Amino acid sequence: MLLKKLQLKAIDYKFVLTVCFFLFFAPIVAAQEIIPDVVAEKPAEKPSGGKLKIDGIIATVGDYIVLDSDIDKGFLEITAQGGSIKDITRCQMLGKLLEDKLYAHQAIQDSIIVSDAEVRGMMEERLNYMTQQVGGDINKVVEYYKKSSVEEFKTYFADILKEQKLASEMRDKIVKDVEITPEEVRNFFKKIPKDELPTFGAEMEVAQIVVEPKVSKEDKQKVIDRLNAIRQDVLEGSSFATKAVLYSQDPGSAPNGGYYKMTRKTPFVKEFKDVAFSLQAGEISAPFETNFGFHIIMVDKIKGQEVELRHILISPTVSDAALKEAKERITNIRNKIVGNEISFADAARNESDEKETRANGGTLVNPTTQDTRFELTKMDPVLYSQVSNLKGNEVSQPLLNTDDKGKKTYKLITVTNRIDEHTADYAKDYTKIKELALKEKQINAIAKWFDAKIKDTYIKIIGEYKECAFANNWLKK
């Protein structure tokens, strides 16, 4: 039956996703704590025979090798992230490592480029996170990875990051052109037996009105003057990257010196892209404004349609008076809604300062699914705490919100619709069903890719692991 086939696939796929998550983000691990070695027992499917050579090569895929210790490191990373390794065998872990090696190997064959600058940027970002998690001491991270020095660790880590990036780019390339038609979605749903239809958890639709405190011209000018001073220092020989680490308020790029790589299709705001693509290599922009604050940009390199740059973001400080004025304004809006002078949706269209939701009457879009429903068990904890106690059509009191960039706003929230836990319905749950159908089609595309590439690639598995029952035909039987 179709669903049973799907379920069998889902078991392997769930494992792949779980391990992929932990391994792909392994550099972020470093752990909430430094843990002792946790090595899974040899697999239940381990064949008879002696022990494997410690840290010996157990597999080769193209130009890549897999060591027995790589399997142990995979289990360590999962354990460090709080995951369970109870149901993951060494054979399954090896299968996942083989997949990653084949992705990376084929990425090189397909001329996918991962630049040293990209790796350095990833390195700085991950190291900054990791050292913060262990009290700011990079030596603890080095100790965790059992390296003798920071430099040895960085060399080792750079190779890992480059391989992971190659694998990620290859996976993306395989599935990027996979699309699903409405007819395929309908056929996918029809083939699922009624008694095996998935159940979707309770959901809600949420709307909000946002009021931003007004920043005075004087406060804006202070930021412009500060950025001009930084720009002048760089022109006189200071390091732009160092200035970005010290002063930029962009948490996504500040730790790695303000570095970004982008093309015209990269989803940055228009004002930012317009300035970035107007500069020559080595040129530094004048301060300019976006909805995030004020920026200056320095272009490092231009490669065809791709630009490597660094930027510094500084947002003006909002005064107490401006905050007070914003709270009074949003309180007046709430009074009008509660007094039935205006609907929440119309108030959002007329009064909200949030461009992304204003036209839709304040309705929020779930960033994970891109539809308007939020499943309660997967909802952002902050948002859930704000809406969980609201009754039907009740409007929250003004809420002071501070985003990850330190920007303060006031907002009102209301729940516009509640959907109870229910069995999948084609009409009501089309978006989710489409996502499931697309995932199945992507899995099939990846499986077909593996079948073809395994045949054309040098692959060798050594010793006891030749007896593993792999999901893919790594042994070419």
Side-chain angles (χ1 to χ4, degrees), residues 45-80:
E45 69 271 36
K46 173 187 171 183
S48 59
K51 295 181 179 179
L52 289 167
K53 179 182 175 182
I54 295 176
D55 209 21
I57 295 173
I58 58 172
T60 304
V61 179
D63 297 326
Y64 290 91
I65 62 171
V66 180
L67 302 177
D68 194 38
S69 62
D70 291 336
I71 295 179
D72 297 331
K73 288 173 185 174
F75 286 114
L76 276 171
E77 301 296 3
I78 293 177
T79 306

Side-chain angles (χ1 to χ4, degrees), residues 98-114:
L98 293 172
E99 289 180 11
D100 288 342
K101 301 300 183 186
L102 184 56
Y103 280 134
H105 171 76
Q106 193 59 44
I108 294 173
Q109 309 310 305
D110 289 1
S111 300
I112 293 175
I113 303 297
V114 175

